[in-house]
Amino acid sequence: MNELEIAARLCIAAATGLAIGFEREWSGHATGPEARFAGIRTFMMTGAVGGIAGWLSSTGDWPLAVVLIAAASAVAVAGYLAAARRNPADLDGTTEIAAVMALAIGVVAGRGHLALASGSAAVVLFALGEKAVFRRFIATVDEAEMRAALYFAVLALVVLPLLPAGPFGPYDAIRPRMIWTVVLILSGVNFAGYLARQAFGAARGHLLTGALGGLVSSTAVTLAYARQSRAEPTHSAPLAAGTIAACTVLLPRVAAVSTAVNPAFGPRAALWLLGMFLAGAVVTLFAASRSRGDVPEQPPAQAANPLQLGAAIQMALAFQAVMIALEAARAWFGEIGVFATAGLAGLTDMDALTLSMSRLSRDPGMMDTAAAALVIGVIANTLLKGTVAAVLGGSGYRRKVVPALAAMGVVGVVTLLVLRNT
């Protein structure tokens, strides 16, 4: 290691401390009669001390590195104790912890992990600067949301590591840990959709409510809006726009879940679904421009349980059944069996199909087959929702939704023909 590289590490370590110290002084925590222990210069030197300690540790001189880290940490502790003694009611230790973070990030930079150090500093600065945002967010969290977050943490951090990886059973298709991962993914998606709807509410109209509802279940949105269009025929246009939006949101949701399960498959799935998404987006914008933007009295599919854990478990079990069926169809009938199973699965459960195709695509030779099967499932699902709209919806609603979903299905078929032959 030459001296120029060492100097670069120490400069970045000092710069991260400088940035954190700048925020502390700018926010008023390091100036005035109630100032905490450190200002911008102290933070910069704290980062530099961390950088030196990190460099020393990388050369094997651990005793001196530990002494420097302990000494800088002791200064932060002494500052906190002094502030607490001066004003016992003020036990806020954010500035002192920020100094310890500057020291730690400096150590990381000193050891040569410059990108990690810079990213960590950015996260710390965001946390320090957005205090009001965090407090407003906390004020909006109710008991159900807090309980759901705690349950999700237990499911992810306690239950998941205890499950065996497998594989077991026929065709080695039963993998308990992967199935539980599926439960977590689906619950996380449901929770995200719930929070989005809570944040925006239904006051933005049928379009936004339908799009957010599509994060959870576009089929449920279609069913609810079709029924509502008969009871409220004057709202047919905005209800149709919300339905089309929900069906369009399904496509990036499928791509996102595919990426979460198999990052290598996500871009391929997104490419195959791009045509249908663009068609849906164009039709949604057109329908939205023609709608009146009425507000539904009762938004559809509002989840009482943010995680919808029971539904997630049912979907995961459906995924397991589809996975076994796909492996059997692949063994008995090859590619045609996979496509037939995908079409049937798309009629009942897009999440199970998405997860199954993402797992199937881990075989590089099956990547395009999995993407094509996913499109087949989406087409089948789109036709199902078009049928629901035609049978249950009012006349004005039908005239807008059925052609739009049919157009998305036609684009999907064209996508299959083009990409399968290239």
Side-chain angles (χ1 to χ4, degrees), residues 88-400:
D90 182 14
L91 296 179
D92 180 16
T94 303
T95 299
E96 290 77 14
I97 292 297
V100 174
M101 284 299 301
L103 177 67
I105 293 171
V107 172
V108 172
R111 291 186 61 83
H113 305 293
L114 303 184
L116 178 60
S118 300
S120 301
V123 172
V124 171
L125 288 170
F126 173 77
L128 292 173
E130 299 298 332
K131 176 181 179 180
V133 173
F134 288 132
R135 288 192 169 179
R136 284 198 300 270
F137 174 74
I138 291 173
T140 64
V141 176
D142 60 22
E143 182 180 354
E145 293 163 2
M146 187 64 187
R147 185 182 297 111
L150 294 175
Y151 284 170
F152 189 84
V154 171
L155 297 176
L157 302 177
V158 179
V159 177
L160 182 64
L162 297 177
L163 294 175
F168 308 109
Y171 304 102
D172 287 338
I174 300 177
R175 301 169 185 262
R177 186 174 297 172
M178 185 183 68
I179 294 299
W180 196 252
T181 301
V182 169
V183 172
L184 294 177
I185 291 173
L186 295 176
S187 295
V189 170
N190 291 337
F191 197 17
Y194 174 89
L195 292 177
R197 294 186 61 157
Q198 290 291 93
F200 293 104
R204 302 291 179 88
H206 293 282
L207 177 65
L208 181 57
T209 304
L212 294 175
L215 290 174
V216 179
S217 174
S218 60
T219 304
V221 172
T222 304
L223 180 62
Y225 275 5
R227 289 173 173 170
Q228 191 173 347
S229 70
R230 283 187 177 273
E232 304 174 18
T234 58
H235 291 183
S236 293
L239 286 169
T243 300
I244 301 167
C247 297
T248 303
V249 166
L250 168 68
L251 300 169
R253 179 175 182 262
V254 166
V257 173
S258 299
T259 303
V261 177
N262 183 4
F265 179 59
R268 185 73 59 89
L271 174 64
W272 284 66
L273 296 171
L274 180 61
M276 294 185 71
F277 172 73
L278 293 177
V282 170
V283 176
T284 299
L285 292 175
F286 177 76
S289 68
R290 301 290 298 273
S291 70
R292 299 177 181 178
D294 297 309
V295 179
E297 296 178 2
Q298 293 182 344
Q302 179 66 42
N305 177 7
L307 288 181
Q308 297 188 59
L309 186 59
I313 292 175
Q314 291 176 5
M315 288 182 183
L317 294 176
F319 158 67
Q320 180 65 83
V322 170
M323 198 66 248
I324 295 175
L326 283 170
E327 293 294 341
R330 181 184 176 188
W332 295 345
F333 306 108
E335 189 178 75
I336 298 300
V338 173
F339 291 159
T341 307
L344 293 175
L347 292 173
T348 58
D349 197 334
M350 272 307 304
D351 288 310
L353 176 63
T354 302
L355 296 161
S356 302
M357 290 301 104
S358 301
R359 180 174 179 271
L360 183 65
S361 67
R362 290 177 180 173
D363 179 354
M366 296 297 293
M367 189 81 75
D368 284 337
T369 298
L374 198 57
V375 174
I376 290 173
V378 172
I379 293 172
N381 186 263
T382 302
L383 295 179
L384 172 67
K385 288 178 288 192
T387 303
V388 169
V391 173
L392 300 180
S395 59
Y397 176 83
R398 283 199 305 267
R399 286 196 299 269
K400 296 174 179 62

Side-chain angles (χ1 to χ4, degrees), residues 12-34:
I12 290 179
T16 57
L18 178 69
I20 296 173
F22 180 86
E23 191 283 331
R24 290 287 83 189
E25 283 212 10
W26 177 82
S27 62
H29 290 82
T31 57
E34 300 297 327

